[in-house]
């Protein structure tokens, strides 16, 4: 019932369409109830009156009413289809909007496949029910009322006898519904898991191929596929057991009507034409009653799917604006972490008493082994998650006291996992600023050293780059992502290992371009590349969620501590790249000196 109350909110928004559906249903039902009465008069005319004129008039009436019924049925189906699609359109929109509002913690707890299944297949199941079974349910309600009343007026004893057997159909459906709902609910969960594995496999198909793990992935897919198959087979078995019983009960009703009704005709207590009308009404009930199984199955499917959809719609985001949140304006880029503790799970802290300060315009490099907490610092600064204790300040404002959108508008980020959309290069660069001019887009691309390769693409900035940027190299994808961040013109810039897939020459060009950009921005760089780290104003070394060293390159080298040892390791691994970059820099500096001397 809770689900029906939720669904009723969407249905009542289109109450005028519902009124049309009900009005057409009443009219069609009344016509369908009246036509058997005319049929009875035809039978009576044939057996008793035998008047051709009356017969013709009765047939004309039946044809006319059938035509009117057909026209009203067309209107009913059209309006009902429009009504159903309008309702499901709003539900699908609200489900998507809710997904967009959710914090990252929400996506940590639910698989992508489950979300896709709920937002698409499950919402579609609600629409399917509202399209046909809902209309049949409304028609059946009015039909039962009108037909039963008419049957009682003909012979109440025969009506009671008929419905004593017909009531068994309702008992049958009740038992069927209890069993099928649980099976369908489980099948939807298995389908969501199946979708999740399919999405993950397609997204990582290159990794699967590279490691020759096709057989393993097949087995992993087969487990939920088998579970879904078993659930659907069980549902088919339940339908095979319960639904034919409806037809069997209908047969018994027919026997009762002709047996008891025939006796009444022989005894003179019921006329043949009334027996014809009564049997017509009984047969008229058989179709909707036999369809109750389909309606009930559809209802159970809709309820199981709808509950999953509304779990998304009603999910409250963990991270949201306070009622009195302020707009973050005129950002200078002064960042402060004060005694920050955080853990993705309780009792498992990732960051422990982290405190540091970044002054406006400074470039800070975060360094440390995997799992040391570097990316977590970025997630907290973007307020993807909230700190467990302590606070994070930007220009003196606790970021929990400012509006999320205003916070993130001032931060440009190039993450380690580059995600590009299956759109044009231009649309990907302007993703954060859809209204950006072409000049601004080209300017950002040039700073990111992307303009040259973009112009070599088949359609330049209008080239479709494929899903996740599959048509570009790793370095090209990263330069597009850097251009996207630069176009926002943020006061705070975050580069999360953003040049890890770039060759030496390209990396040098990007570093040269960004070094000028960093002068008026607060920049946080997460990288293992020495060429990036040693030019930072400050280096923060993380280990096991704590800051173990802090200072510039020269200061930390002189300490000969963790950074010194880590630097030596990284330098040996990157020696050729570092020397090549340094050599190129020296050559350019000499050329500049010669030009200035001339």
């Amino acid at each position: 019932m809770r689900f029906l109350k939720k669904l009723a909110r969407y249905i009542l928004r289109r109450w005028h369409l519902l009124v049309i559906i009900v009005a057409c249903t009443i009219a069609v039902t009344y016509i369908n109830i009246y036509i058997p009465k005319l049929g009875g008069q035809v039978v009576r005319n044939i057996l008793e009156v035998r008047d051709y004129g009356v017969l013709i008039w009765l047939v004309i009436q039946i044809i006319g009413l059938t035509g009117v019924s057909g026209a009203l049925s067309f209107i009913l189906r059209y309006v009902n289809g429009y009504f159903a699609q309008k309702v499901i359109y709003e539900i699908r929109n609200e489900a998507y909007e809710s997904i967009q509002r959710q914090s990252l913690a929400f996506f940590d707890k639910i698989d992508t496949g489950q979300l896709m299944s709920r937002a698409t297949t499950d919402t579609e199941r609600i629409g399917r029910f509202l399209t046909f079974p809902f209309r049949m349910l409304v028609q059946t309600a009015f039909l039962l009322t009108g037909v039963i009343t008419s049957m009682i007026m003909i012979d109440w004893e025969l009506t009671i006898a008929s419905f004593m057997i017909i009531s068994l159909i309702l008992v049958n459906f009740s038992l069927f519904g209890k069993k099928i709902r649980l099976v369908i609910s489980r099948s939807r969960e298995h389908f969501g898991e199946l979708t999740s594995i399919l999405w993950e496999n397609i997204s990582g198909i290159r990794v699967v191929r590279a490691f020759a793990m096709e057989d393993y992935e097949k087995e992993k897919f087969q487990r939920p596929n088998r579970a879904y198959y078993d659930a659907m087979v069980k549902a088919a078995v339940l339908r095979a057991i319960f639904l034919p019983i409806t037809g069997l009960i209908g047969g018994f009703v027919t026997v009762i009507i002709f047996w008891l009704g025939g006796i009444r005709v022989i005894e003179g207590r019921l006329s043949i034409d009334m027996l014809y009308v009564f049997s017509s009404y009984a047969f008229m009930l058989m179709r909707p009653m036999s369809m109750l199984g389909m309606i009930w199955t559809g209802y159970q499917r809709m309820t199981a799917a709808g509950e999953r959809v509304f779990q998304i719609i009603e999910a409250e985001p963990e991270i949201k604006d306070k009622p009195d949140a302020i707009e973050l304006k005129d950002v200078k880029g002064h960042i402060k972490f004060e005694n920050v503790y955080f853990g993705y799970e309780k009792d498992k802290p990732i960051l422990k008493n982290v405190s540091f300060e970044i002054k406006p315009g400074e470039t800070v490099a975060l360094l440390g082994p995997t799992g040391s907490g570097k990316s977590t610092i970025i997630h907290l600064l973007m307020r993807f998650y909230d700190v467990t204790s302590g606070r994070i300040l930007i220009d003196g404002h606790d970021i929990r006291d400012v509006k999320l959108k205003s916070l993130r508008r001032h931060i440009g980020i190039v993450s380690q996992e580059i995600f590009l959309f299956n759109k044009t290069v231009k649309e990907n660069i302007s993703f954060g600023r859809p209204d950006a001019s072409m000049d601004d887009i080209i300017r950002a691309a040039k700073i990111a050293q992307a303009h040259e390769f973009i112009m070599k693409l088949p359609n330049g900035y209008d080239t479709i780059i494929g899903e996740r940027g599959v048509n570009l190299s790793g370095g090209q994808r990263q330069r597009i992502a850097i251009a996207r961040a630069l176009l926002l013109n943020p006061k705070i810039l975050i580069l999360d290992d953003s040049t890890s897939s770039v060759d030496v020459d390209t990396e040098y060009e990007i570093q040269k371009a960004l070094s000028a950009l960093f002068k008026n921005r607060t920049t946080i760089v997460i990288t293992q590349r020495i060429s990036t780290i040693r030019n930072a104003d400050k280096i923060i070394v993380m280990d096991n969620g704590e800051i173990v060293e802090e200072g510039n390159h020269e200061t930390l080298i002189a300490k000969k501590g963790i950074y010194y040892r880590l630097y030596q390791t990284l330098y040996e691994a990157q020696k050729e790249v570092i020397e090549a970059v340094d050599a190129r820099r020296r050559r350019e500096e000499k050329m500049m000196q010669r030009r200035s001397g001339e």
Side-chain angles (χ1 to χ4, degrees), residues 221-341:
F221 180 80
Q222 283 175 359
R223 286 192 295 272
N225 193 26
R226 181 71 192 188
Y228 179 67
Y229 163 80
D230 290 340
M232 295 308 292
V233 167
K234 188 172 182 179
V237 169
L238 288 173
R239 282 191 285 270
I241 292 172
F242 284 94
L243 298 188
I245 294 176
T246 303
L248 184 63
I249 294 172
F252 280 118
V253 172
T254 303
V255 171
I256 289 295
I257 289 173
F258 284 115
W259 174 254
L260 296 180
I263 291 174
R264 277 169 162 67
V265 170
I266 292 172
E267 293 177 349
R269 296 163 57 189
L270 186 69
S271 64
I272 293 179
D273 59 310
M274 284 296 100
L275 177 61
Y276 168 81
V277 175
F278 189 94
S279 62
S280 296
Y281 285 147
F283 295 145
M284 191 182 294
L285 285 179
M286 284 299 100
R287 183 172 181 269
M289 291 296 285
S290 63
M291 291 189 70
L292 281 177
M294 187 192 72
I295 295 172
W296 188 248
T297 302
Y299 171 76
Q300 296 299 331
R301 285 177 179 272
M302 178 191 68
T303 303
E307 287 173 350
R308 285 161 47 87
V309 173
F310 279 104
Q311 283 176 3
I312 295 176
I313 292 176
E314 296 176 347
E316 282 294 325
E318 294 183 18
I319 309 299
K320 56 185 177 182
D321 291 336
K322 289 182 178 179
D324 57 348
I326 63 172
E327 200 72 33
L328 191 62
K329 299 178 180 179
D330 302 322
V331 173
K332 295 179 176 59
H334 189 185
I335 300 172
K336 223 177 174 184
F337 275 60
E338 294 183 350
N339 309 113
V340 170
Y341 285 81

Side-chain angles (χ1 to χ4, degrees), residues 424-426 453-465:
T424 64
V425 173
K426 178 175 63 179
F453 85 76
I454 291 173
M455 295 307 296
K456 293 178 181 178
L457 296 174
N459 297 309
Y461 283 85
D462 292 319
T463 302
I464 301 290
I465 62 175

Side-chain angles (χ1 to χ4, degrees), residues 35-245:
I35 287 176
K37 291 182 180 180
L38 292 177
Q41 293 180 37
V42 169
V43 172
R44 184 170 176 273
N45 181 72
I46 292 172
L47 295 177
E48 298 178 10
V49 180
R50 299 189 178 187
D51 187 326
Y52 286 105
V54 173
L55 179 62
I56 293 172
W57 172 238
L58 289 172
V59 170
I60 290 172
Q61 287 186 69
I62 292 173
I63 293 172
L65 289 173
T66 302
V68 173
S69 177
L72 290 173
S73 294
F74 167 77
I75 296 172
L76 174 61
R77 283 174 168 80
Y78 176 79
V79 174
N80 181 238
Y82 178 77
F83 163 77
Q85 292 307 314
K86 199 68 178 175
V87 169
I88 203 62
Y89 166 81
E90 292 178 356
I91 291 175
R92 192 184 294 115
N93 266 349
E94 290 193 17
Y96 184 76
E97 288 171 6
S98 178
I99 291 172
Q100 293 294 314
R101 289 195 307 268
Q102 297 308 316
S103 313
L104 287 189
F106 175 83
F107 300 96
D108 295 338
K109 298 171 186 174
I110 186 167
D111 293 335
T112 303
Q114 292 284 356
L115 282 176
M116 290 177 62
S117 175
R118 296 184 189 197
T120 54
T121 310
D122 286 343
T123 54
E124 192 61 30
R125 286 194 180 278
I126 300 173
R128 286 179 190 172
F129 180 82
L130 293 177
T131 302
F132 179 68
F134 174 74
R135 185 177 76 246
M136 288 304 303
L137 186 63
V138 174
Q139 286 181 323
T140 300
F142 286 108
L143 192 65
L144 283 172
T145 303
V147 168
I148 292 172
T149 302
S150 299
M151 291 174 71
I152 290 173
M153 291 175 66
I154 294 173
D155 192 316
W156 66 270
E157 291 179 341
L158 190 57
T159 303
I160 292 174
S162 300
F163 271 86
M164 286 179 63
I165 300 176
I166 290 176
S167 62
L168 295 177
I169 295 177
L170 302 178
V171 175
N172 180 54
F173 289 147
S174 178
L175 294 173
F176 172 67
K178 290 178 181 179
K179 294 181 179 296
I180 197 71
R181 182 173 182 176
L182 181 60
V183 173
I184 291 173
S185 180
R186 286 177 179 171
S187 73
R188 299 312 306 153
E189 293 296 328
H190 294 316
F191 185 81
E193 184 183 355
L194 186 152
T195 306
S196 182
I197 292 174
L198 182 62
W199 167 261
E200 186 180 57
N201 185 271
I202 293 173
S203 300
I205 192 66
R206 288 171 177 77
V207 177
V208 175
R209 292 283 193 275
F211 286 86
M213 293 296 287
E214 292 90 344
D215 291 339
Y216 171 79
E217 288 297 321
K218 286 178 185 177
E219 290 180 9
K220 188 170 75 171
F221 180 80
Q222 283 175 359
R223 286 192 295 272
N225 193 26
R226 181 71 192 188
Y228 179 67
Y229 163 80
D230 290 340
M232 295 308 292
V233 167
K234 188 172 182 179
V237 169
L238 288 173
R239 282 191 285 270
I241 292 172
F242 284 94
L243 298 188
I245 294 176

